Amino acid sequence: MREKKPVFANTKFRTAPPKEVNWRDRYAVTALPLPRDTMQQSEPLKGAYFWLAVFYLVYCARPEDWIPGLQSVPLAKISGVFAIMGLLLSFGRSKRGLRDLPREAIYLFLLIGVFFLSAAFSPVWKGGAFFRTLDFAKVLVAWVLTFLAVTTLARLRRVLFIQTASVAVISIVSMVKGASHPRLDGVLGGIYSNPNDLAFAIVLSLPFCLAFLLRTDSILRKAAWAVALLLMISALFLTASRGAFITFLVAGAVSLWHFGIKGRRLYLIGAAAVIAIVAAIVAGGHLKDRLLAVSGQGLDTDSQSSAYGSYEQRRILISRSLEGIEHYPILGIGLHNFSTYSGVWRDVHVTYLQIAVEGGIPCLILYLMFFGRGFSNLRRLRRLPDPDPEATLFAGALHSSLVGFLVGALFAPEAYQYFPYFAVAYTAVLLAIEQEQKGGELSRGDSNSSQLRAGPTGRDGKPSFTYAW
């Protein structure tokens, strides 16, 4: 009877008869971590991702507003339908599924569900609240598609590029077409028709513009992003949005902390000051008048008088919203119904009050929990070992954008703008990508159903991994 010797496979002790060294043992394959570029070659959900990218382009750039011939084409609906079809046809081939959706997706789902209940019991306008909630619910579809289809850092980079470049183009088009429009009001339609909404879209995209500028080594691309940054800030000042200006200061300070101080690029502080001063001199006159009008003194121009009247009206709307919350604390009055309820056809210029009065206090709690998860994702991302430099760069931009929004939301009605929801989706995607690359790739077998086995430690004290055939 042959002698049996102990061997190790998959770190479990077993006995097996000794055997002679053959060619399989001599040429055992050592499993090494795959390069990121290699792991990204086989990308699932290509069709769904393509149409999702088209949806982002249509939503962020709104080509139907400034390209002749596209006004009557429902580009957003077409791209959204094809994205959903591509996702449904690709189920089972993605590395993520519906069960992998993070908690913030559940919070968003519940938030929209409460809004539908609010519409059903609205004391103001049930039908209007229902259809407006149905329209807002598209953000959940886009959110889920983003998490499921954006499975690599390259894909996330493209989506961020689409949003940032689109907002830069919108800024240029608004300034060109809106030379005779005060505050660029009504130059474009949709989410950019209101100057406050346009300004917030610009502010929330500025940190990504700075991240792309720092990411590239090309002088021409750096120059292009620097020009885009200057033009976006100029458009922001032309809107004369006081809330967006405060958001700009906060997001800019956080961006300089991440990229300038922590990133050891101190020259960014001086460069940012120069760009801000130039933009303020060129396009900041109207904004200065509106900021000075808050005091109610020295109202020498029609612009200042109008700005002070707007300030006083907002104080009245805040009081009116608090009354609405007191009378309808559970389900609110229905999405976008406050303008009717207020009696002056204006929204309350505090996002948190806007959510609470139209959806009730439960909606406000879910809203805060949703955005809190965005910061939680970024904290978990920072704790991962050996972070990818590009992921760190985008994480800093996302943190700057989210902090700026949460502060700026105190001064503007931006509860239903998609850009903040997209930012939280980007944090979830970035965290999932980094976690998958850090911990999930070594457990994969090859196409021949081979498995990784931990062999005995080598000379360096680390276990060697070999494929078991």
Side-chain angles (χ1 to χ4, degrees):
M1 187 174 182
R2 292 184 300 175
E3 178 187 3
K4 294 186 177 181
K5 296 182 179 181
V7 295
F8 291 88
N10 286 334
T11 68
K12 295 181 179 179
F13 179 87
R14 67 178 176 87
T15 59
K19 60 180 179 179
E20 298 180 357
V21 177
N22 55 30
W23 64 273
R24 286 184 177 178
D25 298 320
R26 183 174 300 173
Y27 300 103
V29 181
T30 302
L32 297 175
L34 297 175
R36 297 191 177 198
D37 294 338
T38 303
M39 293 188 292
Q40 294 175 357
Q41 287 178 358
S42 178
E43 297 183 349
L45 301 176
K46 290 184 178 179
Y49 173 74
F50 171 79
W51 288 107
L52 177 66
V54 173
F55 173 83
Y56 271 100
L57 179 63
V58 172
Y59 180 83
C60 298
R62 292 196 63 83
E64 65 271 22
D65 287 338
W66 50 278
I67 298 180
L70 294 181
Q71 291 84 356
S72 59
V73 181
L75 297 176
K77 293 181 180 179
I78 293 174
S79 59
V81 168
F82 276 100
I84 295 174
M85 289 177 58
L87 177 67
L88 294 177
L89 294 175
S90 303
F91 267 133
R93 292 186 289 169
S94 175
K95 62 176 68 176
R96 302 180 199 142
L98 294 178
R99 294 182 178 180
D100 300 316
L101 288 174
R103 276 187 287 174
E104 51 268 34
I106 307 302
Y107 297 153
L108 182 57
F109 176 81
L110 294 175
L111 176 69
I112 295 173
V114 175
F115 268 124
F116 275 113
L117 287 176
S118 176
F121 296 95
S122 172
V124 179
W125 186 17
K126 294 180 174 61
F130 174 81
F131 286 106
R132 290 164 178 171
T133 303
L134 191 63
D135 183 69
F136 173 66
K138 291 186 295 186
V139 72
L140 177 62
V141 178
W143 206 100
V144 173
L145 284 173
T146 300
F147 182 79
L148 297 181
V150 182
T151 54
T152 64
L153 194 57
R155 286 186 175 185
L156 178 60
R157 185 193 316 124
R158 295 185 201 115
V159 170
L160 290 173
F161 175 83
I162 290 172
Q163 175 181 325
T164 310
S166 297
V167 174
V169 171
I170 287 294
S171 301
I172 298 172
V173 172
S174 298
M175 289 189 291
V176 172
K177 296 184 63 176
S180 59
H181 291 249
R183 299 185 59 199
L184 304 181
D185 188 10
V187 176
L188 299 176
I191 61 174
Y192 302 122
S193 59
N194 186 286
N196 294 315
D197 296 337
L198 172 61
F200 261 83
I202 293 173
V203 171
L204 298 181
S205 301
L206 281 174
F208 304 129
C209 186
L210 181 57
F212 279 112
L213 185 151
L214 298 175
R215 176 186 175 276
T216 182
D217 295 326
S218 170
I219 300 299
L220 292 178
R221 291 180 181 177
K222 282 185 179 294
W225 284 116
V227 171
L229 199 65
L230 178 60
L231 293 175
M232 291 168 70
I233 295 176
S234 299
L236 168 66
F237 277 89
L238 285 175
T239 63
S241 173
R242 291 169 289 194
F245 177 69
I246 296 174
T247 307
F248 168 70
L249 295 179
V250 175
V254 179
S255 296
L256 291 178
W257 165 256
H258 280 291
F259 303 139
I261 297 178
K262 292 184 65 176
R264 299 181 180 179
R265 306 179 185 92
L266 298 181
Y267 64 88
L268 287 178
I269 299 176
V274 171
I275 291 177
I277 291 172
V278 171
I281 293 174
V282 173
H286 197 177
L287 175 61
K288 181 192 70 174
D289 293 340
R290 287 177 58 81
L291 289 173
L292 294 176
V294 174
S295 64
Q297 300 178 357
L299 305 179
D300 300 327
T301 65
D302 293 339
S303 173
Q304 290 178 330
S305 300
S306 175
Y308 180 71
S310 173
Y311 169 72
E312 288 295 322
Q313 186 183 67
R314 292 179 184 184
R315 292 178 59 185
I316 297 174
L317 290 172
I318 289 175
S319 299
R320 185 67 171 150
S321 68
L322 292 174
E323 293 176 6
I325 296 172
E326 181 181 359
H327 287 92
Y328 308 101
I330 305 302
L331 293 177
I333 60 176
L335 194 145
H336 279 310
N337 273 348
F338 180 77
S339 58
T340 305
Y341 178 82
S342 66
V344 295
W345 300 99
R346 291 288 187 274
D347 289 319
V348 58
H349 275 60
V350 180
T351 296
Y352 308 110
L353 292 180
Q354 184 184 19
I355 283 282
V357 72
E358 294 183 345
I361 294 177
C363 267
L364 176 62
I365 295 174
L366 289 169
Y367 187 77
L368 295 176
M369 293 172 65
F370 173 80
F371 283 99
R373 286 288 298 176
F375 291 98
S376 175
N377 291 336
L378 294 176
R379 284 195 299 270
R380 293 171 62 188
L381 186 64
R382 287 196 297 268
R383 294 170 185 167
L384 293 178
D386 189 24
D388 183 276
E390 187 176 13
T392 302
L393 195 66
F394 287 140
L398 286 168
H399 186 246
S400 305
S401 183
L402 285 174
V403 171
F405 169 73
L406 291 183
V407 175
L410 294 168
F411 308 97
E414 302 298 329
Y416 312 116
Q417 191 184 90
Y418 285 9
F419 283 102
Y421 298 91
F422 289 163
V424 177
Y426 300 153
T427 65
V429 166
L430 190 58
L431 176 62
I433 291 172
E434 287 298 296
Q435 287 178 333
E436 289 162 358
Q437 291 179 342
K438 300 297 183 188
E441 297 301 330
L442 284 178
S443 62
R444 300 185 307 174
D446 63 2
S447 58
N448 294 323
S449 300
S450 58
Q451 297 178 351
L452 283 173
R453 291 185 177 178
T457 57
R459 294 181 179 179
D460 56 357
K462 298 180 179 180
S464 60
F465 292 87
T466 59
Y467 281 115
W469 301 86

